[in-house]
Amino acid sequence: MRNTIYRQMVYWINNNRTWIEVADAYVYKEHILTRNGRTTCLVGRTLVLRAFREHDGYAVGQTWDIPDHELDRALAAYRKSDYSFKCRIKKGGSYLTAKDAETIIRLATHDVIHLELIEQPTHKYY
């Protein structure tokens, strides 16, 4: 995942959170992958999310580690399924919305985590 998209996703999760927050976006962890019957170890960037409120049976303080390769897989699947997202993300990471971040996290965690982000208005009219 490109760094600009990753940082924009972290921004949306931190600023529009309702029950879950980014505990660490700068950690690198070792993950074990199985491909074609072979097991390999991979060290990669990992997004760590933490529940700061009880929600849907999740206790306060529970954490989830989402490896970067899962985020990549989810991003590719979302690109294939939503043409408007594909067009926007080609322009750059700043075109990522809070809804997009929710969908990517939901796909990366296999429907375990639903962020339920609150989209705040970006412009105020007086």
Side-chain angles (χ1 to χ4, degrees):
M1 176 178 282
R2 285 185 298 189
N3 199 38
T4 54
I5 297 171
Y6 183 77
R7 297 291 168 223
Q8 189 68 24
M9 187 171 57
V10 169
Y11 166 81
W12 282 121
I13 295 170
N14 274 335
N15 288 334
N16 297 350
R17 63 185 185 237
T18 54
W19 68 278
I20 197 167
E21 64 187 354
V22 175
D24 198 349
Y26 304 102
V27 67
Y28 282 80
K29 290 189 176 183
E30 187 175 348
H31 301 282
I32 298 174
L33 299 174
T34 304
R35 268 193 200 169
N36 301 329
R38 291 186 162 191
T39 304
T40 58
C41 293
L42 171 74
V43 176
R45 181 171 56 182
T46 304
L47 179 65
V48 181
L49 300 177
R50 177 179 49 226
F52 66 91
R53 287 193 182 134
E54 287 185 15
H55 182 75
D56 275 346
Y58 298 120
V60 174
Q62 182 169 348
T63 61
W64 296 268
D65 296 342
I66 307 171
D68 196 40
H69 66 270
E70 286 292 330
L71 294 171
D72 279 336
R73 185 194 55 76
L75 184 66
Y78 190 35
R79 261 193 208 122
K80 287 180 184 176
S81 68
D82 190 346
Y83 183 74
S84 66
F85 172 72
K86 181 179 179 178
C87 293
R88 280 187 289 117
I89 210 65
K90 278 185 180 179
K91 296 177 186 177
S94 62
Y95 289 91
L96 187 82
T97 64
K99 181 183 174 286
D100 297 333
E102 278 189 66
T103 304
I104 292 168
I105 295 295
R106 184 180 52 78
L107 291 171
T109 60
H110 306 283
D111 280 334
V112 170
I113 299 175
H114 296 269
L115 296 176
E116 300 175 8
L117 299 178
I118 298 173
E119 285 202 50
Q120 300 171 354
T122 55
H123 301 289
K124 290 185 181 180
Y125 298 101
Y126 295 98

